[in-house]
């Protein structure tokens, strides 16, 4: 368990992995080792103090922090390192599928890796059943070093939804409750949940679920202000998020949706949310975290942007390896990211500030060759950029981005 979480659990009366064991209270049997390194020792410690592990989750204070959203494919460890450098406070691993973790799939376990720069870090789980989710939480509790575990109840994709996971849990309250309570019971770190407004448009469910989630022991909830049906069409409903802040209180609510400038972030904070989560905004411009913290627009140059890509490539080769396989993996993930980066319009070229996330970026000529190349919506141009950083692509190379995630056709 990381330091912050140990502090939080100590605050909530639960002790922590390294708290209190060396100086037992009078009448309390000393614990064998100086540190409480396993969950069993932790329970033994509580038992000796005549305390049960609280069924309510431990607190998680992330107030005012900037949270980089969990992002399948794009929110890999090298990308998160980039965002950390630009000021992201909280990071989270890409969604990991509970059953794949239980089956021991190496690629799924790799999604839980944390870089030392990620000082407030969580992992996200997806699953539909209380028994497997609780089992998985128990396994994570013993094996990974995280500050919180998040449950993905916002995932809209058919594959997940049809099995009763992701967003479907918003309509399966009995199972949802068992999952949250069950996981909470076995975790020593706070449990958080990410939800949407609801499944269908104009059928908001979040305001009714939030008080329940609070009672079930969720430490924090993030609300993406759109329904499953909406996907990325229409703007996130921040008016509704504001209503939900009250429904969730005193449990902290993070708001999520459409933040691409410091003005967007300021408006979002005015709804009373404890903090904001940023997804596509970080993919389009990871320096958004700096812009928010410094309350400014950054007219970043194409060479500065290329330097960021160079760093990503370096981190990628460190993470995935610098052999042929590692290079090609780094390239794939770079290309996925470039499919978002090309939507950024440089500040100095905008007629009206700031850029909005739901507006189609216009075709424009950059201030130099590189800026124009970076604005290209063509996969062939993204491949050219990858070749500048990683050398020529292998023969017959093709690339199709996995995500679209925009409001326009
Ligand atoms: C490429 C991509 C991958 C995503 N992967 C996840 C994920 O693994 N888990 C999750 O809860 N949400 C995921 N989301 C949703 C985002 O976390 C976020 O809720 C959504 O994009 C709305 O925020 P935004 O308007 O700031 O983009 C993903 C979004 C995108 C664009």
């Amino acid at each position: 368990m990381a330091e912050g979480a140990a502090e939080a659990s100590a605050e909530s009366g639960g002790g922590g992995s390294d708290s209190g064991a060396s100086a037992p209270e009078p009448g309390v049997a000393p614990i064998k080792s100086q540190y409480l390194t396993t969950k069993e020792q932790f329970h033994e410690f509580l038992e000796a103090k005549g305390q049960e592990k609280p069924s309510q989750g431990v607190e998680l204070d992330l107030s005012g922090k900037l949270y980089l959203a969990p992002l399948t494919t794009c929110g890999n460890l090298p990308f998160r390192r980039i965002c950390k450098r630009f000021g992201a406070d909280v990071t989270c691993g890409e969604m990991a599928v509970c059953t794949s973790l239980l089956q021991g799939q190496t690629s799924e376990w790799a999604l839980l890796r944390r870089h030392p720069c990620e000082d407030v870090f969580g992992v996200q789980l997806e699953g539909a059943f209380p028994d497997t989710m609780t089992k998985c939480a128990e396994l994570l509790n013993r094996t990974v070093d995280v500050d919180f575990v998040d449950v993905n109840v916002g995932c809209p994709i058919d594959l997940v939804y049809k099995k009763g996971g992701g967003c479907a849990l918003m309509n399966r309250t009995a199972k949802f409750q068992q999952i949250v309570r069950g996981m909470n019971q076995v975790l020593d770190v706070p449990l958080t949940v990410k939800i949407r407004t609801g499944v269908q448009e104009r059928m908001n469910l979040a305001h009714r679920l939030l008080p329940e989630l609070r009672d079930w022991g969720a430490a924090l909830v993030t609300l993406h202000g759109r329904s499953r049906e909406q996907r990325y069409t229409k703007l996130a409903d921040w008016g509704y998020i504001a209503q939900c802040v009250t429904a969730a209180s005193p449990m902290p609510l993070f708001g999520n949706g459409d933040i691409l400038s410091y003005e967007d972030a300021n408006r979002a904070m005015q709804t009373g949310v404890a903090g904001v989560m940023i997804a596509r905004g970080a993919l389009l411009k990871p320096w958004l975290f700096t812009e928010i913290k410094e309350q400014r627009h950054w007219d970043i140059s194409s060479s500065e942007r290329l330097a960021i890509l160079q760093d990503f490539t370096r981190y990628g080769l460190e993470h995935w390896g610098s052999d042929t396989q590692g290079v090609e993996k780094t390239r794939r993930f770079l290309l996925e990211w470039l499919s978002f980066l090309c939507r950024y319009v440089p500040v100095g070229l905008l007629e009206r500030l700031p850029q909005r996330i739901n507006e189609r970026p216009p075709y424009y000529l950059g201030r130099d060759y590189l800026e124009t190349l970076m604005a290209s919506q063509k996969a062939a141009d993204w491949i050219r950029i990858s070749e500048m950083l990683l050398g020529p692509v292998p023969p017959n190379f093709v690339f199709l981005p996995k995500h679209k995630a925009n409001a326009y056709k």
Side-chain angles (χ1 to χ4, degrees), residues 69-72 95 124 152 194 224 226 232 256 258 279-280:
L71 292 163
T72 297
M95 176 183 90
Q124 190 185 56
N152 188 349
K194 183 160 177 271
H224 174 193
R226 271 180 281 256
Y232 286 98
N256 168 232
D258 301 336
R280 291 167 302 159

Side-chain angles (χ1 to χ4, degrees), residues 97-386:
V97 178
C98 162
T99 44
S100 309
L101 289 174
L102 289 175
Q103 284 160 6
Q105 282 181 26
T106 327
S107 55
E108 211 69 11
W109 280 92
L111 301 177
L112 312 179
R113 278 173 66 185
R114 168 190 202 154
H115 188 266
C117 74
E118 298 183 276
D119 50 350
V120 187
F121 174 72
V123 289
Q124 190 185 56
L125 267 193
E126 175 283 312
F129 304 102
D131 55 349
T132 47
M133 286 293 268
T134 306
K135 184 99 214 118
C136 199
E138 212 168 13
L139 197 56
L140 294 186
N141 203 49
R142 272 188 277 130
T143 49
V144 297
D145 172 30
V146 295
D147 298 304
F148 61 92
V149 174
D150 189 67
V151 186
N152 188 349
V153 185
C155 186
I157 61 171
D158 279 351
L159 201 70
V160 168
Y161 185 80
K162 286 191 175 150
K163 287 186 188 151
C167 222
L169 280 171
M170 291 189 75
N171 275 326
R172 297 172 75 225
T173 11
K175 290 274 179 264
F176 193 6
Q177 170 170 193
Q178 287 165 15
I179 288 176
V180 174
R181 284 194 191 275
M183 290 177 73
N184 223 352
Q185 200 68 42
V186 298
L187 283 171
D188 296 326
V189 291
L191 180 80
T192 64
V193 182
K194 183 160 177 271
I195 60 174
R196 282 178 177 255
T197 54
V199 176
Q200 283 142 344
E201 226 181 313
R202 288 187 290 276
M203 294 268 280
N204 289 338
L205 299 172
H207 63 290
R208 281 198 268 124
L209 273 171
L210 284 162
E212 306 225 53
L213 277 161
R214 182 188 59 212
D215 295 344
W216 302 340
L220 179 150
V221 172
T222 303
L223 173 58
H224 174 193
R226 271 180 281 256
S227 65
R228 171 176 190 254
E229 211 168 74
Q230 278 173 311
R231 298 290 173 106
Y232 286 98
T233 65
K234 309 231 169 81
L235 292 174
D237 187 348
W238 280 92
Y240 180 61
I241 294 179
Q243 285 174 36
C244 286
V245 170
T246 319
S249 176
M251 178 182 66
L253 184 74
F254 263 60
N256 168 232
D258 301 336
I259 295 175
L260 189 61
S261 64
Y262 75 85
E263 289 100 325
D264 292 336
N266 293 353
R267 256 193 310 275
M269 286 306 290
Q270 278 165 14
T271 61
V273 289
V276 291
M277 174 186 273
I278 297 173
R280 291 167 302 159
L283 291 171
L284 266 72
K285 46 181 227 190
W287 54 93
L288 172 58
F289 298 102
T290 313
E291 290 191 332
I292 297 172
K293 287 190 167 167
E294 296 179 4
Q295 295 281 294
R296 67 181 174 104
H297 296 290
W298 182 347
D299 191 8
I300 195 166
S301 68
S302 58
S303 52
E304 284 174 301
R305 286 165 72 198
L306 187 68
I308 300 172
L309 296 180
Q310 257 160 351
D311 288 336
F312 174 85
T313 318
R314 199 156 44 79
Y315 298 159
L317 298 178
E318 246 175 58
H319 184 60
W320 291 298
S322 50
D323 54 355
T324 313
Q325 225 184 354
V327 170
E328 289 318 310
K329 229 172 181 171
T330 304
R331 188 194 306 280
R332 288 270 163 203
F333 289 111
L334 173 69
L335 289 167
E336 294 287 353
W337 183 20
L338 284 167
S339 76
F340 282 93
L341 271 175
C342 64
R343 299 187 205 168
Y344 170 72
V345 184
V347 168
L349 297 179
L350 281 172
E351 267 179 34
R352 167 182 52 71
L353 277 170
Q355 184 183 354
R356 305 247 162 82
I357 206 156
N358 62 326
E359 289 174 354
R360 177 196 288 279
Y363 290 104
Y364 64 88
L365 205 59
R367 291 165 290 189
D368 51 47
Y369 167 77
L370 194 55
E371 202 165 65
T372 309
L373 187 67
M374 284 176 165
S376 170
Q377 311 278 324
K378 292 190 193 125
D381 288 324
W382 308 333
I383 292 172
R384 282 173 69 193
I385 297 174
S386 88

Side-chain angles (χ1 to χ4, degrees), residues 9-30:
S9 63
E11 260 172 39
S12 71
S17 59
D18 58 357
S19 64
S22 54
E25 286 170 20
V28 174

